[in-house]
Amino acid sequence: MKHILLCLLPGIALLLQMPASTAAVIKVHAGGVSSAVKNAQRGDTLLLLPGNYKEHDIIVSRKLYITGKDWPVIDGEDKYQLFIVTADSVVIEGLQIQHTGKSSVTDMAGVRIANAARVIIRNNKFLDNTYGIYLQNATACTVAGNMIRSTIGDGVNDGNGVHAWKSNHLLIKDNTISGHRDGIYFEFVTDTYIQGNRSFRNARYGLHFMFSNDDTYRQNTFMDNGAGVAVMYSHGVSMYDNEFFHNWGGASYGLLLKEITDSKIIHNQFTRNTIGIHMEGTTRVDVERNLFQDNGWALRVMASCSGGNFVKNNFSGNSFDVITNGTAMLNTFNNNYWDKYDGYDLDKDNIGDVPYYPVSAYAVITEKIPPAMILYRSFFTTMIEQVEKVMPGLIPDKLKDDHPEMKKLQL
């Protein structure tokens, strides 16, 4: 034993003489961020002091913690892109990142994360950038607590607030996003969680999925967008506890679903949208415990939809509850509350004794002849509805709720 200790002593002595490997905190003044990032060691902290940093194409290729004091401004002067993160576990927070350029060749972003994992972008201000945060081949990254706002351009031809492409296991949380083309855009993004964001006044969608599977969005607010949310060509998308408010216009929606399967829409609020939910080519979508209130059309379910379950939803104050474009109905409606239901409940079980047909005759007419909408709420429409009750001929008889609730449901 003594012999072994004697052999180890030189090595122990050498270790004691080596300097401790601790991360440094480096203060950075205006004009020095690029060189500081280049010269820092892995794990260092860069503290950017107040000032206007007119620097661009700042490549972060090692693990760093980059933070600011009193909101230092990183300014792209309407010409350049700014941070490009290519290393894992980088953190950027406390900065004001603004005025990227616009290019037909490069999608210029305030922060671009490329081929990296576990990067955190939090509590920053992104102002008037083409793309706020761009995630490309990113894994397990977090975008949280940022204010992302654009007042430039017309929105439709601009970039998105948060843009993710071919990424997975992201967390997009508690951001405020406005003025972009889409607030949040996902393309080929899987297993991602989106929670607590406010996305409003974006030109196209508050949130947009394309070919993105097994994602969840929860407790977000989508307000005053061209349309609230679009989910297209995806499966396994879970939509819980969100608010879709005042997405209003000639062809606007609270939620647009196109070619999606095996998804859930549970406990959301659709209030004052032109169309609450527009569904086209959907399969096995569950719509449960949602509130549809004061919309133009609460539900627009195209004849191409099948296997959907509409259960225990409240429909109140909508101009039209449901519209479809065919007579076939391959979806199920049960135990919903309809404020227009005028049936009876003789056995007092709080379930209507006769079915409710949520498609009105006038809704069918306006679906086929949109200009007929000008006669809405006229004596003519009242007469049509009364005639339809006596001699049904327009409304699809298979689209009905066999067990309508007599009282508003507690959602």
Side-chain angles (χ1 to χ4, degrees):
M1 184 67 180
K2 184 178 179 181
H3 177 72
I4 295 174
L5 288 174
L6 289 173
C7 293
L8 290 175
L9 279 176
I12 295 172
L14 181 61
L15 288 172
L16 292 175
Q17 293 173 7
M18 293 176 64
S21 177
T22 57
V25 177
I26 302 167
K27 293 183 178 179
V28 182
H29 295 270
V33 65
S34 293
S35 59
V37 167
K38 185 177 180 180
N39 295 322
Q41 300 299 310
R42 187 178 188 277
D44 283 352
T45 294
L46 302 185
L47 175 62
L48 277 57
L49 300 176
N52 195 355
Y53 294 70
K54 293 185 178 180
E55 300 179 60
H56 55 86
D57 295 281
I58 304 164
I59 299 175
V60 184
S61 58
R62 63 181 63 85
K63 176 184 175 182
L64 293 175
Y65 173 41
I66 303 173
T67 185
K69 179 182 179 183
D70 297 334
W71 300 106
V73 176
I74 316 300
D75 194 336
E77 303 178 88
D78 299 321
K79 299 177 183 177
Y80 310 107
Q81 55 187 340
L82 297 171
F83 286 98
I84 302 169
V85 178
T86 61
D88 297 345
S89 304
V90 171
V91 178
I92 297 177
E93 70 173 331
L95 309 181
Q96 179 168 315
I97 299 168
Q98 65 183 34
H99 300 162
T100 64
K102 181 179 289 187
S103 169
S104 58
V105 178
T106 303
D107 294 334
M108 292 193 177
V111 174
R112 175 187 293 273
I113 302 169
N115 307 310
R118 300 180 301 283
V119 175
I120 299 174
I121 309 298
R122 67 189 176 204
N123 302 331
N124 300 283
K125 298 177 183 177
F126 291 84
L127 302 179
D128 293 337
N129 300 298
T130 302
Y131 290 81
I133 301 167
Y134 197 114
L135 301 105
Q136 173 184 339
N137 280 325
T139 299
C141 294
T142 298
V143 176
N146 300 285
M147 188 273 282
I148 306 170
R149 187 183 72 200
S150 176
T151 58
I152 57 175
D154 59 5
V156 175
N157 298 314
D158 294 331
N160 306 311
V162 176
H163 182 107
W165 178 78
K166 206 173 181 181
S167 299
N168 61 82
H169 295 91
L170 306 177
L171 173 62
I172 313 295
K173 186 177 180 183
D174 297 335
N175 301 285
T176 301
I177 309 168
S178 65
H180 285 272
R181 178 175 57 193
D182 292 341
I184 303 169
Y185 177 82
F186 279 7
E187 186 171 357
F188 300 108
V189 176
T190 59
D191 298 299
T192 283
Y193 200 81
I194 305 167
Q195 182 178 15
N197 301 282
R198 292 184 72 248
S199 186
F200 57 96
R201 290 199 288 277
N202 296 290
R204 196 167 61 176
Y205 303 114
L207 170 62
H208 190 182
F209 292 88
M210 292 290 285
F211 311 107
S212 295
N213 305 322
D214 302 316
D215 299 316
T216 297
Y217 66 94
R218 181 169 223 150
Q219 297 174 332
N220 303 280
T221 298
F222 305 103
M223 179 175 66
D224 290 322
N225 297 291
V229 175
V231 184
M232 301 180 176
Y233 309 104
S234 303
H235 63 76
V237 180
S238 298
M239 310 166 231
Y240 301 130
D241 309 319
N242 301 287
E243 183 178 14
F244 303 79
F245 178 72
H246 201 262
N247 299 289
W248 197 267
S252 190
Y253 319 94
L255 173 58
L256 167 64
L257 306 177
K258 185 176 177 63
E259 304 294 337
I260 78 164
T261 60
D262 298 305
S263 296
K264 297 181 182 299
I265 304 167
I266 297 178
H267 200 247
N268 303 279
Q269 295 185 25
F270 298 86
T271 309
R272 298 181 62 194
N273 303 286
T274 303
I275 300 173
I277 303 179
H278 175 99
M279 305 174 68
E280 187 175 336
T282 64
T283 305
R284 296 184 298 277
V285 175
D286 294 335
V287 183
E288 299 179 11
R289 295 188 292 111
N290 301 285
L291 170 65
F292 297 89
Q293 183 163 333
D294 300 331
N295 300 285
W297 289 262
L299 288 174
R300 197 172 195 181
V301 185
M302 297 292 101
S304 57
C305 300
S306 63
N309 289 305
F310 299 82
V311 181
K312 290 188 176 298
N313 302 286
N314 280 337
F315 292 83
S316 179
N318 304 296
S319 298
F320 302 111
D321 288 328
V322 182
I323 186 61
T324 184
N325 62 343
T327 56
M329 180 46 58
L330 304 174
N331 305 284
T332 303
F333 289 78
N334 261 317
N335 294 100
N336 300 286
Y337 170 77
W338 312 88
D339 65 341
K340 298 182 182 65
Y341 180 63
D342 55 4
Y344 45 85
D345 178 22
L346 295 179
D347 56 6
K348 304 298 182 185
D349 64 352
N350 290 326
I351 303 296
D353 293 343
V354 294
Y356 176 65
Y357 294 85
V359 179
S360 70
Y362 200 63
V364 175
I365 292 174
T366 55
E367 178 69 15
K368 295 178 179 177
I369 313 172
M373 197 65 202
I374 197 171
L375 297 174
Y376 182 59
R377 297 186 189 280
S378 68
F379 173 73
F380 175 71
T381 61
T382 305
M383 186 175 65
I384 288 177
E385 296 294 348
Q386 294 303 320
V387 170
E388 181 68 20
K389 287 183 179 179
V390 179
M391 294 183 293
L394 288 175
I395 62 174
D397 59 349
K398 293 180 181 177
L399 201 165
K400 60 180 179 177
D401 188 335
D402 285 320
H403 304 93
E405 298 281 344
M406 296 300 294
K407 296 181 179 178
K408 210 167 190 176
L409 296 158
Q410 296 296 320
L411 301 176

